[in-house]
């Protein structure tokens, strides 16, 4: 069995007196799509941010593609291999969509401009907004902005993609178009770690679901098992709350 | 009222205005970059650097410009035992004094961009310096343009303090003419008009930037 692409070992993180992560361990194999869910404040987003070194954790270890994150002296290099998509898109408002996408390839990876632009247009095509390349983010709908942000992350040609509640800030009618792009990515073999409350997406696309609460991993299981036969009481309670019964 | 005195001394006034503007431009040209460095220092995670910059800002902001000018004009030559050229001490005093005001404007401009944009930049593998240069500063500069222009007006008005050491900028020139011609009312009204025109046009520019953002 090959080494997992992301390995989180017993990670602990405290902010003053609040324990954000309390001994979290998980691993993601290449090509897997794993959904992390749980109530707000359970540490899901914090966990993602520990994986690409945006958050410093005090205990445990994280390895991405065998590279140690803690005490890493070249975080930019590490992050070039990890795409991240944020809840509020975080496109750069003073740059066009195309410039948003080419900035990191050109400046961080040294890709020639012409090649970077070609790559950017390819990814915009892939997320279905090739015609928006020269507009400023403010001119795009929320769904288009998030797809542009996904293209920006993809343009790094990352080994793994982290999604931090990518649809939580979107109007309902725009959620579908973003989920469609993500499903397409997962089916294309992209390794994905997705924090989301979209249980429909989890059921359809994820290989495994992780349930977190109060900074701990409560349950990790295959999709079918997670939804039909959750082991932990806390998971059952959570699922009962969020799964609307008709 | 006899406005001929103003017309007769027009070249002198113009020369005074030019001197004031030159002082203003040189002061801004050095204090703005220095202000940027201080702002970045204040925002730094290195506690000692952040504290040092904060202390510098607080000390300078708690003193009047004229006192800072005295410091550099009278005290530094006394302490070092070396005579310092008038213009040099004026410029140093202005740069030191105004840099902290620019620093505060730049700092709030940078903070207005927000941490999430920085994290987005970092997450794509840009270094912190690149994130600052390509993502934060361009947005911050747009946000702080109106305040920066307003501060430049304050610098221009501040150049009048060199009056006390007899440096011939616009106000000092005017007072000399007023004394010589015994026409203080006309001269001081005329100079007020000049200050108004310069400052008000600059503030109109600031307003345009403000509108451009909305």
């Amino acid at each position: 069995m090959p080494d997992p692409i992301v390995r989180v070992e017993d990670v602990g993180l405290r902010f003053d007196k609040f324990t954000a992560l309390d001994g979290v361990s998980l691993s993601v194999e290449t090509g897997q799509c794993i959904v992390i869910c749980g109530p707000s404040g359970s540490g899901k987003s914090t966990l993602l941010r520990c994986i690409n070194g945006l958050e410093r954790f005090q205990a445990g270890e994280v390895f991405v593609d065998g590279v140690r994150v803690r005490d890493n002296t070249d975080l930019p290099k590490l992050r070039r291999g990890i795409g991240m998509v944020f809840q509020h898109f975080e496109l750069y408002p003073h740059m066009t969509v195309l410039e948003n996408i080419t900035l990191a390839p050109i400046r961080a990876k040294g890709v020639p401009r012409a090649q970077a632009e070609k790559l950017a247009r390819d990814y915009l095509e892939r997320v279905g907004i090739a015609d928006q390349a020269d507009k400023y983010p403010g001119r795009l709908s929320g769904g288009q902005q998030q797809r542009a942000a996904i293209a920006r992350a993809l343009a790094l040609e990352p080994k793994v993609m982290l999604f931090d509640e990518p649809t939580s800030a979107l109007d309902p009618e725009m959620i579908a178009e973003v989920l469609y792009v993500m499903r397409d990515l997962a089916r294309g073999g992209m390794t994905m770690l997705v924090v989301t409350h979209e249980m429909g997406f989890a059921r359809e696309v994820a290989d495994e679901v992780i349930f977190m609460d109060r900074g701990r991993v409560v349950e990790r299981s295959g999709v079918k098992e997670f939804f039909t036969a959750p082991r932990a009481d806390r998971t059952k309670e959570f699922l009962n709350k969020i799964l609307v019964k008709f | 009222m006899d406005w001929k005195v103003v017309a007769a001394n027009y070249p002198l006034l113009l020369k005074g205005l030019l001197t004031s503007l030159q002082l203003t431009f040189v002061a801004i040209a050095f204090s703005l970059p220095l202000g940027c460095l201080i702002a970045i220092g204040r925002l730094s995670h290195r506690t000692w650097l952040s504290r040092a910059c904060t202390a510098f800002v607080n000390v300078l902001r708690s003193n009047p410009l004229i006192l800072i000018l005295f410091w550099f004009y009278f005290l530094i030559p006394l302490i070092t035992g070396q005579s310092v050229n008038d213009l040099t001490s004026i410029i140093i005093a202005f740069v030191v004094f105004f840099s902290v005001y620019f620093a505060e404007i730049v700092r709030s401009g940078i903070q207005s961009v927000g941490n999430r944009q920085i994290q987005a930049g970092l997450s794509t593998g840009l270094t912190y310096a690149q994130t600052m240069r390509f993502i934060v500063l361009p947005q911050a500069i747009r946000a702080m343009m109106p305040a920066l222009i307003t501060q430049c007006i304050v610098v221009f008005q501040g150049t009048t303090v060199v009056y006390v050491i007899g440096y011939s900028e616009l106000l000092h020139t005017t007072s000399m003419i007023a004394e010589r011609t015994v026409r203080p009312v006309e001269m001081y009204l005329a100079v007020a008009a000049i200050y108004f025109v310069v400052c008000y046009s600059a503030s109109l520019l600031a307003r345009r930037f403000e509108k451009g953002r909305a």
Side-chain angles (χ1 to χ4, degrees):
Chain A
M1 190 130 139
D3 260 0
I5 191 87
V6 176
R7 203 162 84 231
V8 176
E9 291 171 356
D10 207 20
V11 163
L13 189 158
R14 295 173 68 90
F15 301 111
D16 283 328
K17 284 180 186 156
F18 176 70
T19 304
L21 295 175
D22 184 8
V24 171
S25 299
L26 62 86
S27 60
V28 186
E29 310 287 336
T30 303
Q32 268 190 320
C33 174
I34 293 181
V35 162
I36 306 176
C37 61
S40 58
S42 58
K44 303 163 302 210
S45 299
T46 309
L47 175 64
L48 285 194
R49 292 148 50 76
C50 287
I51 292 172
N52 68 355
L54 284 179
E55 201 82 68
R56 285 186 192 195
F57 45 94
Q58 290 105 3
E61 292 290 349
V62 175
F63 295 91
V64 178
D65 202 18
V67 178
R68 189 166 178 244
V69 175
R70 192 217 273 264
D71 302 330
N72 190 311
T73 51
D74 195 356
L75 280 174
K77 187 181 174 206
L78 174 92
R79 290 170 182 147
R80 287 201 291 274
I82 307 171
M84 188 162 195
V85 176
F86 300 86
Q87 182 177 356
H88 297 281
F89 332 134
E90 303 309 330
L91 293 170
Y92 318 130
H94 60 299
M95 297 181 190
T96 64
V97 168
L98 194 74
E99 288 166 342
N100 262 276
I101 299 172
T102 56
L103 179 67
I106 292 172
R107 298 292 173 174
K109 293 178 82 178
V111 177
R113 180 173 296 274
Q115 195 183 325
E117 286 183 359
K118 163 116 189 10
L119 194 75
R121 288 186 194 280
D122 288 349
Y123 281 114
L124 281 173
E125 184 95 40
R126 184 152 175 203
V127 301
I129 51 169
D131 52 335
Q132 310 291 328
D134 299 311
K135 289 192 186 161
Y136 284 89
R139 315 287 298 178
L140 272 56
S141 72
Q144 291 172 327
Q145 290 191 45
Q146 192 60 298
R147 286 190 276 160
I150 293 173
R152 178 174 72 184
L154 288 175
L156 296 169
E157 310 199 291
K159 299 182 198 89
V160 54
M161 288 279 287
L162 309 176
F163 292 84
D164 186 5
E165 303 204 26
T167 57
S168 298
L170 292 174
D171 291 335
E173 70 263 35
M174 292 167 183
I175 292 176
E177 64 190 58
V178 171
L179 291 180
Y180 180 85
V181 168
M182 289 167 61
R183 181 169 44 214
D184 185 52
L185 275 179
R187 295 204 171 135
M190 175 61 78
T191 310
M192 292 163 64
L193 200 49
V194 184
V195 170
T196 186
H197 294 122
E198 294 294 332
M199 290 301 117
F201 174 81
R203 209 181 292 225
E204 192 186 346
V205 181
D207 298 300
E208 288 180 52
V209 181
I210 291 173
F211 176 68
M212 284 182 72
D213 189 30
R214 295 181 195 179
R216 290 169 165 277
V217 171
V218 175
E219 177 152 359
R220 172 177 185 160
S221 41
V223 177
K224 215 172 158 190
E225 195 189 342
F226 183 83
F227 287 107
T228 54
R231 288 188 299 266
D233 288 341
R234 185 70 188 87
T235 316
K236 288 175 197 160
E237 189 189 324
F238 178 75
L239 284 174
N240 277 334
K241 267 184 201 155
I242 64 163
L243 293 179
V244 183
K245 298 210 169 71
F246 291 101
Chain B
M1 295 272 201
D2 180 7
W3 294 105
K4 268 182 263 166
V5 65
V6 176
N9 290 288
Y10 171 72
L12 270 179
L13 285 177
L14 195 66
K15 191 159 171 276
L17 174 62
L18 269 178
T19 307
S20 289
L21 288 174
Q22 278 167 347
L23 281 179
T24 307
F25 283 124
V26 176
I28 293 168
F30 288 100
S31 56
L32 184 53
L34 180 60
C36 288
L37 292 181
I38 297 169
I40 290 169
R42 273 199 81 171
L43 295 171
S44 166
H45 294 296
R46 293 182 185 86
T47 322
W48 62 269
L49 180 62
S50 165
R51 284 205 185 136
C53 291
T54 306
F56 183 73
V57 169
N58 285 336
V59 168
L60 266 296
R61 280 210 301 186
S62 311
N63 274 288
L65 171 57
I66 200 158
L67 188 61
I68 309 297
L69 181 61
F70 281 0
W71 257 89
F72 285 98
Y73 189 73
F74 296 120
L75 296 185
I76 300 289
L78 265 179
I79 294 167
T80 60
Q82 283 185 332
S83 69
V84 181
N85 161 301
D86 281 6
L87 186 60
T88 311
S89 28
I90 290 170
I91 296 292
I92 292 175
F94 279 5
V95 169
V96 167
F97 182 78
F98 287 115
S99 65
V100 303
Y101 290 89
F102 282 118
E104 286 302 276
I105 293 170
V106 172
R107 181 175 68 100
S108 69
I110 290 174
Q111 284 179 326
S112 77
V113 177
N115 207 24
R116 296 205 308 235
Q117 285 273 304
I118 298 177
Q119 303 227 326
L122 293 178
S123 80
T124 61
L126 296 173
T127 63
Y128 188 76
Q130 286 174 324
T131 305
M132 272 292 167
R133 182 175 154 205
F134 297 114
I135 297 164
V136 178
L137 287 180
Q139 292 183 64
I141 287 168
R142 254 176 248 197
M144 60 195 162
M145 260 333 254
L148 280 182
I149 295 175
T150 306
Q151 186 58 37
C152 291
I153 298 172
V154 174
V155 175
F156 176 65
Q157 293 172 343
T159 57
T160 52
V161 304
V162 302
Y163 180 95
V164 297
I165 58 174
Y167 194 82
S168 288
E169 44 66 76
L170 181 55
L171 183 63
H172 189 259
T173 305
T174 309
S175 81
M176 301 284 277
I177 300 168
E179 234 168 274
R180 176 165 48 79
T181 59
V182 206
R183 284 281 171 198
V185 179
E186 288 88 341
M187 287 314 297
Y188 287 122
L189 280 175
V191 80
I194 297 175
Y195 278 110
F196 175 80
V197 169
V198 173
C199 296
Y200 191 66
S201 9
S203 72
L204 287 182
L205 187 69
R207 205 169 302 170
R208 273 190 54 176
F209 274 101
E210 213 141 6
K211 275 200 190 135
R213 273 167 49 75

